[in-house]
Coordinates of all heavy atoms in Angstrom, one line a residue:
Y139 N -6.7 25.8 10.3 CA -7.1 27.1 10.8 C -8.7 27.1 11.0 O -9.4 26.8 10.1 CB -6.8 28.2 9.7 CG -5.4 28.5 9.7 CD1 -4.5 27.8 8.8 CD2 -4.9 29.6 10.4 CE1 -3.2 28.1 8.8 CE2 -3.5 29.9 10.3 CZ -2.7 29.1 9.5 OH -1.3 29.5 9.5
G140 N -9.1 27.2 12.3 CA -10.5 27.3 12.6 C -10.9 28.8 12.4 O -10.5 29.7 13.3
C141 N -11.5 29.1 11.3 CA -11.8 30.5 11.0 C -13.3 30.8 11.2 O -14.2 30.2 10.6 CB -11.5 30.7 9.5 SG -9.8 30.2 9.0
P142 N -13.6 31.8 12.0 CA -15.0 32.2 12.2 C -15.5 33.1 11.1 O -14.7 33.6 10.3 CB -14.9 32.9 13.6 CG -13.6 33.5 13.6 CD -12.7 32.6 12.8
A143 N -16.8 33.3 11.1 CA -17.4 34.5 10.5 C -17.1 34.7 9.0 O -16.8 35.8 8.6 CB -17.1 35.7 11.3
E144 N -17.1 33.6 8.2 CA -16.9 33.8 6.8 C -18.1 34.5 6.2 O -18.0 35.3 5.3 CB -16.7 32.4 6.1 CG -16.2 32.6 4.6 CD -17.4 32.9 3.6 OE1 -18.5 32.5 3.9 OE2 -17.1 33.6 2.6
E145 N -19.3 34.2 6.8 CA -20.5 34.8 6.2 C -20.6 36.3 6.3 O -21.4 36.9 5.6 CB -21.8 34.1 6.8 CG -21.9 32.6 6.5 CD -22.1 32.3 5.0 OE1 -22.2 33.2 4.2 OE2 -22.1 31.1 4.7
V146 N -19.9 36.9 7.2 CA -19.8 38.4 7.2 C -18.5 38.9 6.6 O -18.1 40.0 6.8 CB -20.1 38.9 8.6 CG1 -21.5 38.6 9.1 CG2 -19.1 38.4 9.6
L147 N -17.8 38.0 5.9 CA -16.7 38.3 5.1 C -15.5 38.9 5.9 O -14.7 39.6 5.3 CB -17.1 39.3 4.0 CG -17.9 38.9 2.8 CD1 -17.3 37.6 2.1 CD2 -19.3 38.6 3.0
S148 N -15.4 38.5 7.1 CA -14.3 39.2 7.9 C -13.4 38.2 8.7 O -12.3 38.6 9.1 CB -14.9 40.3 8.7 OG -15.7 39.8 9.8
G149 N -13.9 37.0 9.1 CA -13.1 36.2 10.0 C -11.7 36.1 9.6 O -10.8 36.4 10.5
K150 N -11.4 35.7 8.4 CA -10.0 35.5 8.0 C -9.2 36.8 7.8 O -8.0 36.8 8.0 CB -9.9 34.6 6.7 CG -10.4 33.2 6.9 CD -10.3 32.4 5.6 CE -11.3 31.3 5.7 NZ -12.7 31.7 5.7
T151 N -10.0 37.9 7.5 CA -9.2 39.1 7.4 C -8.7 39.6 8.7 O -7.6 40.2 8.7 CB -10.1 40.2 6.7 OG1 -11.2 40.6 7.6 CG2 -10.7 39.7 5.4
F152 N -9.4 39.4 9.8 CA -8.9 39.8 11.1 C -7.8 38.8 11.5 O -6.8 39.3 12.1 CB -10.0 39.7 12.2 CG -11.0 40.9 12.1 CD1 -12.3 40.7 11.7 CD2 -10.6 42.2 12.3 CE1 -13.2 41.7 11.6 CE2 -11.5 43.2 12.2 CZ -12.8 43.0 11.9
M153 N -7.9 37.6 11.2 CA -6.8 36.6 11.5 C -5.6 37.0 10.7 O -4.4 36.9 11.2 CB -7.2 35.2 11.1 CG -8.3 34.6 12.1 SD -9.0 33.0 11.6 CE -7.7 31.9 12.2
A154 N -5.8 37.4 9.4 CA -4.6 37.8 8.5 C -3.9 39.0 9.1 O -2.7 39.1 9.1 CB -5.2 38.1 7.1
R155 N -4.7 39.9 9.7 CA -4.1 41.1 10.3 C -3.2 40.8 11.4 O -2.3 41.5 11.7 CB -5.3 42.0 10.7 CG -4.9 43.5 10.7 CD -6.1 44.4 10.9 NE -6.7 44.1 12.3 CZ -7.7 44.8 12.7 NH1 -8.3 45.8 12.0 NH2 -8.2 44.5 13.9
E156 N -3.5 39.6 12.1 CA -2.7 39.1 13.2 C -1.4 38.4 12.7 O -0.6 38.0 13.5 CB -3.5 38.2 14.1 CG -4.6 38.8 14.8 CD -4.3 40.0 15.7 OE1 -3.3 39.9 16.4 OE2 -5.0 41.0 15.7
G157 N -1.3 38.2 11.4 CA -0.1 37.6 10.8 C -0.1 36.1 10.9 O 1.0 35.5 10.6
V158 N -1.2 35.4 11.2 CA -1.1 33.9 11.4 C -1.0 33.1 10.1 O -0.7 31.9 10.2 CB -2.4 33.4 12.2 CG1 -2.4 33.9 13.6 CG2 -3.7 33.7 11.5
F159 N -1.1 33.8 9.0 CA -0.9 33.0 7.7 C 0.4 33.4 7.1 O 0.8 32.8 6.0 CB -2.0 33.4 6.7 CG -3.4 33.2 7.2 CD1 -4.3 34.2 7.4 CD2 -3.9 31.9 7.4 CE1 -5.6 34.0 7.9 CE2 -5.2 31.6 7.8 CZ -6.1 32.7 8.1
D160 N 1.2 34.3 7.7 CA 2.4 34.8 7.1 C 3.5 33.8 6.8 O 4.2 33.9 5.8 CB 3.0 36.0 7.9 CG 2.1 37.2 7.9 OD1 1.1 37.2 7.1 OD2 2.4 38.2 8.6
D161 N 3.7 32.8 7.7 CA 4.8 31.9 7.5 C 4.3 30.6 6.7 O 5.1 29.6 6.6 CB 5.4 31.5 8.8 CG 4.4 30.8 9.8 OD1 3.2 30.9 9.5 OD2 4.9 30.3 10.8
L162 N 3.1 30.6 6.2 CA 2.7 29.4 5.5 C 3.4 29.2 4.1 O 3.7 30.2 3.5 CB 1.2 29.5 5.1 CG 0.2 29.2 6.2 CD1 -1.3 29.4 5.7 CD2 0.3 27.8 6.7
D163 N 3.7 28.0 3.7 CA 4.2 27.8 2.4 C 3.1 27.7 1.4 O 3.3 28.1 0.2 CB 5.0 26.5 2.4 CG 6.3 26.7 3.1 OD1 7.2 27.3 2.5 OD2 6.5 26.2 4.2
C164 N 1.9 27.3 1.8 CA 0.7 27.3 1.0 C -0.5 27.0 1.8 O -0.4 26.5 2.9 CB 0.8 26.4 -0.3 SG 0.7 24.7 0.2
A165 N -1.7 27.2 1.2 CA -2.9 26.8 1.9 C -3.8 26.0 1.0 O -3.8 26.3 -0.2 CB -3.6 28.1 2.4
L166 N -4.6 25.1 1.6 CA -5.6 24.4 0.8 C -7.0 24.6 1.4 O -7.1 24.7 2.6 CB -5.3 22.9 0.8 CG -3.9 22.4 0.3 CD1 -3.7 20.9 0.5 CD2 -3.7 22.8 -1.2
T167 N -8.0 24.7 0.6 CA -9.3 24.7 1.1 C -10.3 24.2 0.1 O -9.9 23.8 -1.0 CB -9.7 26.2 1.6 OG1 -10.9 26.2 2.3 CG2 -9.8 27.1 0.4
W168 N -11.6 24.3 0.4 CA -12.6 23.8 -0.5 C -13.9 24.4 -0.1 O -14.0 25.1 1.0 CB -12.8 22.2 -0.3 CG -13.5 21.8 0.9 CD1 -13.0 21.9 2.2 CD2 -14.8 21.2 1.0 NE1 -14.0 21.4 3.1 CE2 -15.1 20.9 2.4 CE3 -15.7 20.8 0.1 CZ2 -16.2 20.4 2.8 CZ3 -16.9 20.2 0.5 CH2 -17.2 20.0 1.9
H169 N -15.0 24.2 -0.9 CA -16.3 24.7 -0.5 C -17.4 23.7 -1.0 O -17.3 23.2 -2.1 CB -16.6 26.1 -1.0 CG -17.7 26.7 -0.2 ND1 -19.0 26.4 -0.4 CD2 -17.7 27.7 0.7 CE1 -19.7 27.1 0.5 NE2 -19.0 27.9 1.1
P170 N -18.4 23.4 -0.1 CA -19.5 22.5 -0.6 C -20.2 23.2 -1.8 O -20.4 24.4 -1.8 CB -20.4 22.4 0.6 CG -19.6 22.8 1.8 CD -18.5 23.8 1.3

Side-chain angles (χ1 to χ4, degrees):
Y139 287 87
C141 309
E144 191 282 330
E145 295 296 354
V146 294
L147 286 310
S148 66
K150 293 179 203 67
T151 67
F152 286 114
M153 291 173 81
R155 209 172 62 177
E156 297 300 318
V158 294
F159 303 112
D160 289 355
D161 62 346
L162 281 180
D163 286 286
C164 71
L166 302 176
T167 193
W168 76 292
H169 201 286

